[in-house]
Each structure stands twice: as structure tokens, then as C-alpha cells.
Amino acid sequence: MTSALGPSLGRIAAPPSGGRWDAIRLDLLDTLVRGTTAGPRSSETWLGAWHAAVEALRDDLLAESRAMITAAGRRARYPTTRQDRLLPDPEQADILLQRLLAEGMPLERLAGAGSTAEVTRARAAALETAWDGAVAVARGERQRWTAEAARVAAWRRPWWPVFVAGAVLVVAAGVAAAWLGGQLPAPGWFTPVAQWFWDFPWP
């Protein structure tokens, strides 16, 4: 059964090539070829293996995106509250899962079609196509998160609040000096401050 199934699975049955999701692909292959003496694989076996692989792919993408954003934020000292809003939330995780699962629609159409050799070959071809589609979606998603992490890493804390605060302090100091010197009439609440200033034993 393994020798008959392997060629039908095409790239899914290829040896490890150092690809980003080789481990998930090989787990998918292992699930399908495990227990070859048990007879033809049912539709549930194929779909179960596909769903498990897609969930693993989704989880790997989310973990990597969180790690990229967190590392970039740490380097750039990005505000934590803003960084938390960038991290994928449960809704985004579910949307991503549905996008990945949608690539397996050709395989799902073969549910209940039996387990003949012809149907098995059709399922293998559909699974190979589904996996290629899911990997394409995953690559696009990974590029999006890589770009987001780069944007976070390039962030720099704005200096305008410091300049504004400095300008306000300079103006406030000038007004206070004018009040102390009598160039401007001082408000009543400033009188104790002025009194303390002039009574202070300056060296």
C-alpha cells in the first residue's frame, strides 16, 4: 500500500528538502501511510490527516508571527500596548484556518466516494494540490507578518513631545522670571512663591 500510495502523493512524499514546513508535510505523509496492513484508507482518514496538517501549519504561522513582532518590538522599544494590538488574535487565527482549509475543497468533494484504487489516486492528487495551495497561502501570510515586523523594527520614538515639553518649560520659566522681576503683574496664587524666593538666603 505504501509503495502504491507514495508516487500518487507527489511532492507530499518527497524527502525532506529543508523547507519551512517539511516537518508538517512529513507528519501528514506518516499519518496516511501508517498502518498499511489495515486495508484501504477511508475518507475520514484522509480528511483527518489534512485537517491536522492545516491546524499545525496555522499554529506554526501564528507562533512565528508573534515571535517576529515581539522581537522587533523589543529591539525598537515599541510601545507594549500598541504591539499587543498587532499580534494575531483568535478571530484572525480562525480566519487563517478557514483560508487554509479552503484549499482542501477538492479533497472534501471525494468524501464518501469509496476506497477503490482509482479514488485513492484521486484523493492523493487532490491532497497534493491542497497542500501546495495551503503552502502558498502560508507563504503569503508569512510575508505579510515579516513586513509588519520590519515596520515595527523601523519604528522610532517621536521626539516632538520632548520638544513641546521643553518649549513649555522655557516659556513658563520666562513668565515666572517676569513675575518675580515685576515686569508682569503676578497672579495672587504666585505671591507665596515670590515671597519665598525673595526671602531665601541666596549665597
Side-chain angles (χ1 to χ4, degrees), residues 132-187:
D132 288 345
V135 167
V137 170
R139 284 173 178 161
E141 190 71 8
R142 189 167 184 254
Q143 289 176 355
R144 186 175 73 84
W145 284 109
T146 300
E148 187 70 10
R151 187 183 68 80
V152 171
W155 180 86
R156 296 294 180 268
R157 188 176 298 278
W159 285 100
W160 67 264
V162 177
F163 294 140
V164 170
V168 170
L169 287 175
V170 169
V171 171
V175 171
W179 287 344
L180 288 171
Q183 289 87 357
L184 290 176

Side-chain angles (χ1 to χ4, degrees), residues 9 12 21 24-34 41-59 96-111 123-138:
L9 286 169
I12 293 179
W21 298 290
I24 297 174
R25 174 177 61 81
L26 294 176
D27 283 344
L28 171 60
L29 175 65
D30 183 61
T31 299
L32 292 174
V33 301
R34 191 186 304 126
R41 294 161 190 79
S42 66
S43 174
E44 289 75 13
T45 299
W46 288 87
L47 289 176
W50 164 247
H51 285 201
V54 165
E55 287 180 359
L57 185 57
R58 186 273 308 268
D59 292 344
L96 175 57
L97 179 62
Q98 298 308 316
R99 288 176 58 202
L100 293 169
L101 284 173
E103 297 298 323
M105 290 180 65
L107 180 63
E108 294 175 357
R109 293 192 189 102
L110 294 170
R123 283 182 176 136
L127 183 62
E128 181 185 16
T129 300
W131 175 253
D132 288 345
V135 167
V137 170

Side-chain angles (χ1 to χ4, degrees), residues 58-68:
R58 186 273 308 268
D59 292 344
D60 182 85
L61 280 168
L62 294 181
E64 185 181 26
S65 64
R66 291 188 182 102
M68 287 193 299

